[in-house]
């Protein structure tokens, strides 16, 4: 199946993104066409699951869970290592798929596949470390004479609901960690990237993942809600908006959840910052994937003494970005996911300007392609400051002291990740302690992530941490064994 998908992408023919249910690829269900946001033609077709297909997938998953759980960690690790090698091998082909379906430039798609390969490799390594504990029960009077052991057992059936903005790597995180933990996984693909999702699932099957370990369904929110509500599902990992995350939680009920939701990422540029480095970094990471990342640089707060210097340097860097065809090797900024998303950011830019902000660059679009936009000194109440833009726009605001700017950052309902440019270790520790975020990047922007390092937010940015080690913890349950009147400890 993987070769079929990649060959169709190479020939620019519409790609059929089949579902994978109960061990078989299926084209049952109503057809849903994906229009490429840059090419503006049908690039892929998926097949929407109906209630019967959802029920069949859930039944199969429940029956398959014991089969997958009996696969030794070493065997699971070997499969994930092969998947890592295949991700390197098919890097160009899957990057092309991403460009066709989402308008993400090839260079960014290749970078995503490099991360997929790393993620699978890290999942493999973490699989080999899954174990348990011999608990110190004899340290307490009632525990004398007994032994207690634990091990991490698979949760059973996991559900992975993935977003469009990094469809390959975020699926690798969810599905790779779930399989590493010994679960079977139901995958609900984003409607904007059905072929990319099918390619990653096909790659894992080619690497040797048992068909009992994964199923893939296509569809919208109704399919996701039905899967969330299924009694057989033990744990759900979702990446997407805060509003949809709340809907997932309501549909799921009393299930284990890992929710990586929206962001409104801030980067602080202090008085002692390297302005050239800060401007270049914020330009490269504020507009990559057209700003469609939950940690994309959205708000840059610059010390007032360096504000105009930063704006000049930043504008120069942004003007150097090449905007255009995502299939062009030289393109830095492609299109957004659809016309509606680009129009929304264009509208918010106009509103900020009407409120007194300076639009230094961009603010216009051609279809789904929004020109990289710089909004200087917007009102703190402007939508581009308060809400998640999730688009090719960066707002730049001045600040006078660290405590005040931290309070401005914390006024957001989101708290995913932040960045700070400074050489002052005291400022670094203050920001790390006081910023209400899940992570802080020093001398880098908010938009940096190491896939093996815990990642996640607070407040409306969700809860739980995404990266293989903490996700394996979330995908497993601790099972305890108590041996009465049998002890490896002293009995007196």
């Amino acid at each position: 199946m993987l070769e079929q998908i990649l060959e169709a992408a190479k020939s620019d023919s519409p790609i059929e993104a089949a579902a994978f249910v109960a061990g078989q690829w299926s084209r049952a269900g109503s057809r849903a066409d994906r229009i490429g946001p840059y090419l503006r033609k049908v690039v892929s077709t998926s097949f929407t699951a109906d209630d019967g297909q959802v029920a069949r997938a859930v039944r199969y998953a429940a029956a398959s869970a014991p089969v997958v759980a009996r696969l030794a960690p070493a065997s699971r690790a070997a499969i994930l290592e092969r998947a890592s090698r295949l991700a390197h091998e098919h890097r160009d082909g899957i990057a092309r798929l991403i460009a066709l379906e989402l308008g993400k430039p090839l260079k960014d798609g290749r970078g995503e596949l490099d991360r997929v390969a790393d993620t699978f490799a890290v999942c493999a390594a973490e699989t080999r470390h899954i174990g348990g504990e011999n608990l110190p029960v004899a340290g307490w009077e009632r525990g004398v004479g007994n032994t207690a052991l634990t091990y991490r057992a698979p949760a059973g059936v996991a559900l992975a609901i993935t977003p469009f903005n990094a469809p390959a790597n975020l699926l690798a995180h969810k599905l790779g960690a779930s399989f590493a933990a010994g679960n079977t996984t139901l995958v609900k693909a984003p409607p904007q990237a059905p072929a990319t999702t099918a390619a990653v699932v096909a790659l894992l099957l080619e690497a040797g993942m048992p068909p009992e370990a994964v199923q893939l369904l296509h569809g919208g929110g109704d399919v996701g809600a039905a899967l969330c509500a299924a009694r057989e599902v033990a744990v759900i990992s979702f990446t997407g908006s805060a509003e949809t995350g709340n809907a997932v939680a309501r549909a799921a009920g009393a299930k284990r959840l890992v929710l990586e939701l929206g962001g409104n990422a801030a980067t602080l540029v202090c008085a002692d910052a390297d302005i050239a480095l800060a401007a270049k970094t914020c330009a490269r990471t504020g507009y990559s994937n057209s700003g469609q990342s939950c940690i994309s640089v959205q708000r840059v707060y610059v010390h007032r003494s360096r504000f105009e210097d930063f704006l000049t340097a930043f504008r120069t860097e942004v003007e150097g970005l090449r905007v255009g065809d995502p299939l062009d090797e030289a393109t830095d900024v492609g299109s957004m996911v659809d016309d509606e998303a680009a129009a929304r950011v264009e509208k918010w830019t106009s509103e900020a300007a009407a409120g007194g902000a300076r639009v230094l660059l961009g603010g216009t679009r051609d279809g789904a392609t929004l020109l990289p936009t710089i909004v200087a000194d917007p009102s703190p109440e402007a939508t581009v400051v308060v809400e998640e833009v999730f688009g090719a726009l960066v707002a730049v605001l001045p600040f006078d002291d660290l405590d005040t700017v931290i309070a401005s950052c914390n006024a957001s309902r989101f708290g995913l990740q932040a960045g700070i440019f400074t050489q002052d270790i005291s400022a670094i520790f203050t920001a790390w302690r006081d910023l209400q975020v899940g992570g802080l990047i020093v001398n880098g922007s908010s938009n940096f992530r190491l896939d093996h390092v815990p990642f996640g937010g607070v407040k409306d940015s969700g809860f739980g941490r995404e990266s293989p080690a903490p996700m394996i913890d979330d995908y497993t349950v601790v099972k305890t064994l108590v041996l009465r009147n049998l002890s490896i400890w002293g009995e007196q």
Side-chain angles (χ1 to χ4, degrees):
M1 178 58 71
L2 179 60
E3 291 299 331
Q4 291 178 30
I5 293 172
L6 298 182
E7 282 300 317
K10 193 185 301 181
S11 67
D12 285 336
S13 302
I15 307 149
E16 286 199 339
F20 187 72
V21 178
Q24 295 182 330
W25 291 100
S26 168
R27 290 173 175 81
S30 58
R31 298 171 67 92
D33 291 334
R34 170 61 182 164
I35 307 294
Y38 186 85
L39 295 178
R40 310 187 76 78
K41 66 177 185 179
V42 176
V43 294
S44 59
T45 299
S46 60
F47 302 85
T48 302
D50 59 19
D51 292 346
Q53 194 173 35
V54 169
R56 182 180 176 219
V58 169
R59 287 195 303 270
Y60 183 82
S64 297
V67 176
V68 183
R70 285 194 292 268
L71 198 62
S75 300
R76 302 197 297 264
I79 291 166
L80 289 164
E81 286 166 349
R82 286 195 293 272
S84 176
R85 293 193 293 271
L86 284 173
H88 275 302
E89 181 181 329
H90 295 291
R91 176 177 184 254
D92 289 346
I94 299 177
R96 183 177 179 84
L97 269 181
I98 295 170
L100 290 170
E101 289 194 310
L102 297 169
K104 180 185 284 192
L106 283 174
K107 63 175 72 173
D108 289 345
R110 292 193 185 105
E112 183 173 344
L113 264 294
D114 291 339
R115 293 177 63 187
V116 168
D118 286 350
T119 298
F120 284 146
V122 174
C123 286
E126 293 294 343
T127 307
R128 299 184 189 280
H129 297 154
I130 296 173
E133 290 184 274
N134 179 6
L135 302 177
V137 292
W140 304 92
E141 184 176 348
R142 290 190 66 240
V144 173
N146 301 291
T147 298
L149 308 171
T150 66
Y151 84 102
R152 302 205 73 95
V157 178
L159 170 60
I161 303 178
T162 55
F164 72 80
N165 59 320
N169 189 43
L170 293 180
L171 176 57
H173 272 277
K174 298 176 190 303
L175 181 50
S178 179
F179 180 64
N183 296 312
T184 185
T185 308
L186 294 158
V187 175
K188 210 291 283 181
Q192 303 91 338
T196 301
T197 308
V200 174
V201 170
L203 182 150
L204 283 160
L205 292 168
E206 188 171 307
M209 179 177 279
E212 293 88 354
V214 62
Q215 296 181 84
L216 166 64
L217 295 99
H218 300 287
D222 55 339
V223 174
L227 291 168
C228 288
R231 180 179 53 83
E232 294 84 353
V233 171
V235 57
I236 300 169
S237 176
F238 168 82
T239 301
S241 71
E243 291 70 25
T244 307
N246 287 332
V248 166
R250 288 192 299 270
K255 293 186 175 72
R256 305 175 77 181
L257 299 173
V258 180
L259 301 179
E260 198 271 276
L261 307 178
N264 182 0
T267 293
L268 312 185
V269 180
C270 298
D272 66 336
D274 181 332
I275 292 296
L277 173 64
K280 183 175 183 178
T281 304
C282 289
R284 294 290 168 182
T285 56
Y287 303 97
S288 60
N289 198 18
S290 293
Q292 296 170 124
S293 167
C294 50
I295 53 174
S296 183
V297 178
Q298 177 174 330
R299 298 177 289 162
V300 180
Y301 291 93
V302 185
H303 192 271
R304 196 175 298 277
S305 65
R306 312 298 301 278
F307 186 66
E308 293 300 333
D309 290 342
F310 176 84
L311 281 178
T312 299
F314 184 53
R315 177 172 181 164
T316 299
E317 291 289 345
V318 176
E319 286 176 332
L321 298 175
R322 181 163 175 172
V323 182
D325 185 351
L327 295 174
D328 185 336
E329 298 284 352
T331 295
D332 298 305
V333 181
S335 57
M336 293 182 62
V337 67
D338 53 37
D339 289 15
E340 182 181 359
R344 172 182 53 78
V345 182
E346 183 182 44
K347 177 175 179 286
W348 288 2
T349 304
S350 298
E351 290 174 353
R358 291 179 285 158
V359 180
L360 300 185
L361 208 63
T364 60
R365 67 184 178 96
D366 179 7
T369 302
L370 181 80
L371 292 181
T373 300
I374 301 174
V375 177
D377 208 7
S379 163
E381 290 76 37
T383 306
V384 297
V385 176
V386 175
E387 298 298 333
E388 180 178 28
V389 171
F390 214 69
L393 179 150
V394 175
V396 187
L397 304 94
F399 76 90
D400 294 300
D401 65 84
L402 190 60
D403 288 342
T404 301
V405 75
I406 287 174
S408 296
C409 294
N410 290 345
S412 173
R413 65 189 178 100
F414 298 106
L416 189 51
Q417 193 153 281
I420 186 170
F421 286 88
T422 184
Q423 304 304 317
D424 184 345
I425 191 65
S426 176
I428 291 168
F429 281 132
T430 297
W432 188 24
R433 180 190 66 225
D434 293 345
L435 282 169
Q436 295 169 1
V437 293
L440 177 66
I441 309 300
V442 177
N443 290 320
S445 77
S446 59
N447 196 1
F448 179 77
R449 180 179 176 184
L450 295 172
D451 290 288
H452 57 289
V453 171
F455 175 80
V458 298
K459 301 193 287 188
D460 278 4
S461 288
F463 50 83
R465 292 296 178 264
E466 280 211 354
S467 70
M471 288 191 81
I472 287 171
D473 284 350
D474 286 321
Y475 282 134
T476 53
V477 294
V478 175
K479 297 187 74 172
T480 303
L481 178 71
V482 177
L483 303 173
R484 294 296 311 277
N485 303 316
L486 182 64
S487 177
I488 61 171
W489 309 99
E491 297 182 3
Q492 300 298 319

